[in-house]
Amino acid sequence: MATGRGLRATTFPQKPERILLFHSDTYGMTTNAPNPEATTEWLKVLASPELQIPTDAIQGSLFARTDIDEAELPDPIRQELQGFIRENPGKLIPDQFGSILPLSAQPVYWDIIADFLVKPDANEAIQDIANMMATYSVKEASAWYQWP
């Protein structure tokens, strides 16, 4: 199980459409966690609007939840990005710092992201990432993590 805490996002001019590359701060629960019920309850608190609204608004991020009104954010730039996230789920590319990738796959992943920033072809980037995941057996190497 994983839960989003806050999003950091960047957008860049693209034709014919806008794509948003974002990083979500997340907390997760490992496979065979010793106290899964308590961990699940803790994750629910972290993902709650009551916690996300005050902390994300102050720290400069976006809400990981799409059911929080963007007017809760203090500035128009983040309000617009939050609305874009909610209205365009197919135009989002989630990024992460590579924490669950095998060490050998991390530079390949960052090369794919760098290529995407130069030539923003979402379909090509998705295919390249899928190939990288298969080549480096990411699913097996990251079996310690319980996917949502």
Side-chain angles (χ1 to χ4, degrees):
M1 171 180 218
T3 182
R5 261 285 307 123
L7 299 176
R8 274 109 178 132
T10 185
T11 187
F12 36 90
Q14 294 191 48
K15 296 179 183 176
E17 61 187 331
R18 178 184 190 190
I19 303 290
L20 189 67
L21 175 68
F22 71 93
H23 170 79
S24 176
D25 292 337
T26 59
Y27 297 94
M29 180 169 57
T30 60
T31 302
N32 300 318
N35 297 299
E37 296 83 14
T39 303
T40 299
E41 291 305 311
W42 179 70
L43 292 171
K44 286 179 183 179
V45 170
L46 291 176
S48 71
E50 294 78 18
L51 186 63
Q52 283 195 23
I53 291 170
T55 56
D56 293 344
I58 291 170
Q59 70 182 9
S61 61
L62 302 171
F63 304 127
R65 299 175 62 111
T66 57
D67 61 343
I68 300 175
D69 184 356
E70 61 262 15
E72 296 284 350
L73 292 165
D75 60 90
I77 293 171
R78 287 191 288 159
Q79 290 172 2
E80 191 276 328
L81 284 172
Q82 188 72 45
F84 183 85
I85 288 168
R86 185 182 56 256
E87 296 165 16
N88 300 281
K91 296 182 180 180
L92 307 175
I93 297 178
D95 176 39
Q96 50 94 6
F97 293 131
S99 59
I100 61 169
L101 287 176
L103 188 58
S104 58
Q106 291 182 19
V108 177
Y109 174 76
W110 286 112
D111 285 346
I112 293 167
I113 295 301
D115 289 346
F116 176 76
L117 294 173
V118 173
K119 185 180 124 192
D121 182 330
N123 291 329
E124 182 179 327
I126 290 167
Q127 185 60 56
D128 289 347
I129 290 171
N131 292 340
M132 179 270 305
M133 300 281 269
T135 300
Y136 291 91
S137 303
V138 172
K139 182 177 179 180
E140 294 80 14
S142 303
W144 59 270
Y145 184 81
Q146 182 174 324
W147 295 92

